[in-house]
Amino acid sequence: MDSVSATKSVFALVDVNNCYVSCERVFNPSLEGKPVVILSNNDGCVVARSAESKALKVAMGEPWFKLKDLAKQHGIIALSSNYTLYGDMSQRIMTVLRDYSPDVEVYSIDESFLGLNGLEGVWGTPTAMGQSIRQRVKQWVGVPVCVGIGHSKTLAKLANHIAKKRPAFDSVCDLTALSPHERDGIFTTIEAAEVWGIGRRLSAQLQAAGIETVAQLRDASPAWIRSRFGVVVERTVNELNGISCLALEDVAPAKKQIIASRSFGQPVLSIDELGESVASYMTRAAEKLRLQESVCEAIQVFVQTNPFKASDPQYSNGIVVPLPNASGDTRLLIRAALFGLAQIYRPGYYYKKAGVILQGISPASVKQQSLFFTFGDGDKSEAMMRTLDGLNQRFGKGAVSVAAAGIRNDWAMKRERKTPNYTTCWSEIPVARAN
């Protein structure tokens, strides 16, 4: 460890390897060692791949129908996305991580930052802590993770990349334990594009300016970087030099906009079916709104036909509907969405997609009260929504819903290859038998 390390912050980034595929393999070990892909909604495109699929050059976003010959030749297994399962597995991993540090930032469904300041003596070394995390997550949850450790979040991200790509690190890379010479040796072999926040376009601009590797980016003059590429890239350079500029966010900020939208499993013509879909999406959006203890002041509803089916007549439209009062009441939001849908619906089109957007989101605790009773406001509305949410949490998603959302939902997206909700549905819990 270099002489100034002890005075600097230390971060760890824990990232699940091939998260969606790894979650599926926990409950179906026969998938181990086989090429597996996870498909997007309506089983359209590849959104996740196993290492074996990556080795076969299966690209992210590749339409599944284009891969049929390759899948037949190499036995690629395709599964529908099961976000309920992935979300629950993610929560279990985060629970394990909170045993290692009180400062945990859930960055995404498969990534979390941990603040390690003041914990130096608890686990012996950061590397020992990383190995402990890796083994415990594998034993308790069943999925493999890699751990990267550095003096900034950007360096922790980079360390995680190194841990994944270089087997010598045994899935845990602690940059704080490497000498400057060892770090230089690694950084000169990694492209600058691999640095967190350096996208493809920015990478091309850096290359044009003569910066191709992580080491070259780290050693660039911050003032020159700021004048050429802006303050965000300057901050990245500082982070690569171990100057922490990005603090942990203990609590994810509330969303300022909530969107619920899906493509249909089959073309929809009637306003009745469109209304069911819009009500269903609004139900989900309203649940998210209340989960972050917020209300919204307006909703937007939109519909569109399939732009990739040129033989069909094309139409798309949307409308914003202001609410009479800021609300998180599902019934009022659905009423507004159906009103908006009636304004933009045109018969004779094969609709492929619909959705809703909640706008003007603010904390429910500071909303302005009305002098008069309005639908979807007041103590009775809040009590009704608390009861609705409580029943759905206890008996399962959709146990109680507004009738406008329908029951059969023939328009719903296709997920013909979806695995059971092993961890969240009593009737789908896996059963083990022993003779």
Side-chain angles (χ1 to χ4, degrees), residues 23-310:
C23 290
E24 298 286 355
R25 283 174 167 167
V26 172
F27 300 95
N28 186 358
S30 68
L31 297 175
E32 291 286 354
K34 297 179 181 175
V36 180
V37 297
I38 306 297
L39 303 177
S40 62
N41 296 333
N42 284 315
D43 294 344
C45 303
V46 173
V47 295
R49 305 158 294 166
S50 67
E52 296 80 5
S53 295
K54 293 175 185 175
L56 294 172
K57 308 295 184 187
V58 176
M60 286 289 284
E62 188 91 18
W64 174 238
F65 74 89
K66 289 186 176 180
L67 294 170
K68 292 294 177 63
D69 291 340
L70 187 68
K72 189 174 182 180
Q73 182 182 355
H74 296 281
I76 299 175
I77 299 168
L79 299 173
S80 303
S81 48
N82 185 346
Y83 294 114
T84 302
L85 173 65
Y86 311 148
D88 185 67
M89 296 289 280
S90 174
Q91 288 297 322
R92 292 164 188 253
I93 296 167
M94 304 315 164
T95 300
V96 174
L97 298 183
R98 290 189 177 92
D99 285 344
Y100 286 87
S101 171
D103 301 318
V104 177
E105 176 190 335
V106 179
Y107 181 67
S108 67
I109 193 170
D110 60 351
E111 288 181 290
S112 283
F113 286 103
L114 277 66
L116 305 185
N117 293 345
L119 301 175
E120 292 82 359
V122 178
W123 304 101
T125 64
T127 301
M129 185 211 66
Q131 288 295 347
S132 176
I133 289 176
R134 194 171 72 88
Q135 293 163 11
R136 188 176 295 183
V137 171
K138 180 64 176 176
Q139 183 177 1
W140 290 10
V141 185
V143 298
V145 300
C146 282
V147 182
I149 299 165
H151 283 307
S152 67
K153 292 170 75 173
T154 300
L155 283 173
K157 266 276 212 183
L158 185 62
N160 196 286
H161 170 79
I162 296 168
K164 274 192 169 64
K165 300 296 183 184
R166 306 198 178 197
F169 285 95
D170 194 19
S171 301
V172 177
C173 176
D174 177 9
L175 289 177
T176 70
L178 302 182
S179 68
H181 177 71
E182 289 173 319
R183 286 197 296 268
D184 286 347
I186 296 173
F187 288 178
T188 53
T189 62
I190 302 176
E191 294 181 359
E194 299 295 344
V195 174
W196 189 28
I198 304 296
R200 188 177 304 172
R201 182 179 300 177
L202 186 53
S203 173
Q205 294 173 1
L206 287 169
Q207 280 190 20
I211 295 177
E212 297 184 352
T213 68
V214 173
Q216 289 173 325
L217 180 59
R218 179 201 58 186
D219 296 338
S221 162
W224 178 78
I225 286 287
R226 181 172 188 165
S227 66
R228 289 288 301 270
F229 303 101
V231 67
V232 174
V233 183
E234 179 196 22
R235 186 178 61 193
T236 299
V237 171
N238 285 330
E239 286 248 318
L240 285 175
N241 281 285
I243 302 170
S244 175
C245 304
L246 300 170
L248 288 179
E249 294 181 359
D250 296 333
V251 178
K255 295 178 180 176
K256 298 297 184 184
Q257 191 179 66
I258 294 176
I259 303 174
S261 175
R262 291 283 188 279
S263 295
F264 302 133
Q266 58 190 33
V268 170
L269 283 108
S270 74
I271 191 171
D272 291 339
E273 284 191 303
L274 274 178
E276 280 190 5
S277 69
V278 166
S280 177
Y281 301 152
M282 185 57 80
T283 298
R284 181 64 186 134
E287 289 172 351
K288 292 180 179 177
L289 183 69
R290 293 193 295 274
L291 187 62
Q292 66 175 36
E293 299 180 349
S294 298
V295 293
C296 69
E297 297 179 351
I299 66 96
Q300 181 179 355
V301 58
F302 61 90
V303 295
Q304 69 177 65
T305 53
N306 188 349
F308 300 104
K309 202 165 184 179

Side-chain angles (χ1 to χ4, degrees), residues 368-427:
Q368 185 173 353
Q369 301 296 323
S370 172
L371 289 174
F372 308 100
F373 170 78
T374 53
F375 183 74
D377 194 16
D379 294 341
K380 286 186 176 179
S381 167
E382 293 174 6
M384 173 72 82
M385 292 302 106
R386 279 198 301 273
T387 303
L388 188 69
D389 293 337
L391 289 170
N392 285 327
Q393 288 172 8
R394 180 175 180 181
F395 297 106
K397 182 181 175 183
V400 181
S401 63
V402 176
I407 297 175
R408 292 183 52 184
N409 297 154
D410 293 333
W411 44 267
M413 64 181 178
K414 290 189 298 183
R415 289 196 291 177
E416 298 172 345
R417 303 164 183 265
K418 190 179 92 56
T419 52
N421 296 319
Y422 299 108
T423 60
T424 56
C425 180
W426 285 110
S427 62

